[in-house]
Amino acid sequence: MVGIPDEALLAGFVSGDRDATGAFLQRFRNRVYGLALAMLHDPALAEDVAQEAFVRAWKHGPSYDRRLGTVSNWLLRITRNLALDRLRRRRKEIEIIDPDILESLVTSTPPSAVEDAAITSDMAAAVTAALAQVPPEQRRALVLAAYYGRTAEEISRSEGIPLGTAKTRILLGLRKVRALLDAAEERP
Amino acid sequence: MTSCDEIEVELGELALDVLPDDRRSAVLDHVGVCLGCRALLLELSATADAVLLACPPAEPSPEFDAAVLAGIGSGRGPGWPPVGSRAPRRRSRRSIVAAVVAAAALVAGGLAVGVRLRDPDDLRTASLVSTTGGGIGDAVAYAGPPAWVFMRVDRALPDGTYRCVVTTDGGPPLEVGSLVVVAGQGSWGQRLAADPARLRTARLETGDGTVVAAASFR
């Protein structure tokens, strides 16, 4: 099923087709698990979250709306929400990875997987390159909010900066990534 | 009335879904009536989604796929664990091992869970051609079992809801769903009750039965 659009695989997955399900899992499992692992830093817990993400995708697949993002983004958003829920419920029990380590992870490790659709791999590489170019203080605020679900107020406290500064760093970080991605798309 | 400047600085948090509830409603109220801030929010939300792609992939344990299959469990045919739309639950390591054993027993016929791909010939693709000429998307039919059909529109069709109709050799046209087009784009997919080998066309019709596009699988 190489070359089949993500949406078609999702339709097959939701309809109960075994082969489409196998291909769907093969295409997305490493990304979903990779995100959960980076956020939770616990392989067993990350597997639970990643498995649950696929179950949720199966249950909510019929309501998937491509206008709200690609299948890959939709699936990762489900994964992030589940992982954040675990983080919030078990904040005292789950060891939080040093944001410096996660920053390094998302800006320097080539995010590739053999089963990735080419478009996903290209986008992942572009995002990694963009994040590496974002000013460090903005990148750090962005990583804390995106991967740890930290609010601007929490970032303000942990970083020892004014609340307004934390909000601005998150916003500017996102805008910088967007601008870099747009510029990368326009390059031949 | 809150100004755009006041709202804009909080759109990043809203896009990342970390804006506290006490600010969320005020920001959403503004976004609901301000086209500029709404457009920026959409852009930031898409960026927030993209940021998650930066995480490097990692390989889960070999039991992963079987545990997902067991979690889905729906009794939708051979190979699937038994029923239920039971609520997703946290699985212990022990339950994963049990799931693997159960799934391995149920997934008969030598299917290597999650990796074996069927012959590409089981997939039939066709261009979706507008009645005014020109391709506007595609249609895919999969032999299964179960069979399913998928239609996608990329361009040139007015926004609206269209009836998805398939025809088979010797059978009457069969309405199988509806496809919503927004900003020229839309997609739809569904399990197909008809024999996919006899599938001849998949088409989109307006509510009054006017055919606006069709894909031929001949």
Side-chain angles (χ1 to χ4, degrees):
Chain A
M1 292 197 183
V2 174
I4 299 300
D6 292 346
E7 291 155 7
L9 276 189
L10 174 63
F13 174 53
V14 170
S15 78
D17 178 83
R18 285 187 296 173
D19 293 337
T21 295
F24 186 80
L25 289 171
Q26 185 180 36
R27 186 171 292 183
F28 294 111
R29 75 163 87 81
N30 288 9
R31 286 222 166 269
V32 166
Y33 175 66
L35 174 61
L37 185 61
M39 292 178 70
L40 298 166
H41 200 44
D42 175 332
L45 192 56
E47 281 215 7
D48 282 347
V49 163
Q51 287 158 13
E52 196 172 333
F54 280 105
V55 173
R56 291 273 176 103
W58 170 71
K59 288 179 80 172
H60 299 293
S63 61
Y64 163 74
D65 185 343
R66 65 185 307 204
R67 290 170 292 171
L68 300 179
T70 63
V71 171
S72 172
N73 286 346
W74 174 71
L75 199 49
L76 291 180
R77 202 183 310 139
I78 292 173
T79 308
R80 174 184 182 260
N81 289 341
L82 289 169
L84 284 182
D85 186 48
R86 297 295 175 91
L87 276 174
R88 286 167 182 152
R89 273 194 281 149
R90 303 180 60 198
R91 194 158 266 183
K92 289 179 183 171
E93 298 169 47
I94 298 174
E95 182 188 354
I96 300 298
I97 313 170
D98 184 336
D100 290 339
I101 297 175
L102 189 52
E103 266 190 81
S104 160
L105 200 64
V106 299
T107 55
S108 61
T109 306
S112 61
V114 290
E115 68 284 355
D116 265 353
I119 193 166
T120 304
S121 257
D122 291 348
M123 186 63 177
V127 172
T128 302
L131 275 173
Q133 295 178 65
V134 171
E137 68 280 4
Q138 293 173 16
R139 181 171 61 237
R140 188 177 172 85
L142 183 51
V143 165
L144 284 167
Y147 288 96
Y148 295 134
R150 296 294 169 87
T151 64
E153 190 174 344
E154 289 170 328
I155 293 171
S156 157
R157 281 201 301 270
S158 66
E159 301 291 296
I161 56 177
L163 176 59
T165 303
K167 287 179 179 288
T168 303
R169 285 182 181 177
I170 292 172
L171 177 66
L172 292 180
L174 274 177
R175 296 195 85 158
K176 179 73 175 172
V177 170
R178 179 77 268 155
L180 290 163
L181 290 177
D182 289 345
E185 268 184 24
E186 285 167 11
R187 276 197 292 272
Chain B
M1 184 70 176
T2 314
S3 75
C4 290
D5 287 344
E6 288 174 275
I7 293 298
E8 182 180 332
V9 77
E10 295 190 302
L11 290 181
E13 284 174 277
L14 183 60
L16 288 158
D17 203 21
V18 294
L19 188 64
D21 290 343
D22 60 341
R23 289 297 306 149
R24 195 179 181 86
S25 58
V27 174
L28 284 174
D29 284 349
H30 176 89
V31 167
V33 296
C34 176
L35 287 178
C37 287
R38 195 185 313 164
L40 178 57
L41 177 62
L42 287 174
E43 186 178 294
L44 293 174
S45 296
T47 311
D49 283 345
V51 165
L52 299 179
L53 280 171
C55 234
E59 194 166 337
S61 70
E63 301 89 13
F64 185 86
D65 288 5
V68 172
L69 290 181
I72 288 172
S74 64
R76 287 171 300 173
W80 290 89
V83 181
S85 32
R86 57 183 186 242
R89 65 185 190 278
R90 184 174 188 277
R91 296 182 165 277
S92 65
R93 304 302 293 174
R94 181 176 293 180
S95 69
I96 289 173
V97 171
V100 171
V101 173
L106 286 163
V107 179
L111 172 71
V113 178
V115 295
R116 193 182 75 113
L117 301 181
R118 189 162 289 201
D119 189 329
D121 289 345
D122 287 346
L123 280 163
R124 302 162 71 195
T125 62
S127 291
L128 194 57
V129 180
S130 154
T131 47
T132 57
I136 61 166
D138 46 44
V140 179
Y142 179 56
W148 49 266
V149 62
F150 175 82
M151 297 170 80
R152 178 171 65 175
V153 172
D154 285 322
R155 54 196 174 276
L157 208 56
D159 288 1
T161 301
Y162 296 87
R163 300 161 63 203
C164 302
V165 176
V166 297
T167 60
T168 57
D169 275 344
L174 184 65
E175 183 172 350
V176 287
S178 58
L179 184 150
V180 178
V181 175
V182 175
Q185 298 192 325
S187 61
W188 164 89
Q190 186 166 301
R191 195 166 169 166
L192 185 64
D195 176 2
R198 298 174 59 216
L199 187 64
R200 287 297 166 255
T201 66
R203 66 195 193 206
L204 295 176
E205 298 180 358
T206 58
D208 64 4
T210 304
V211 177
V212 294
S216 172
F217 290 100
R218 289 179 190 281

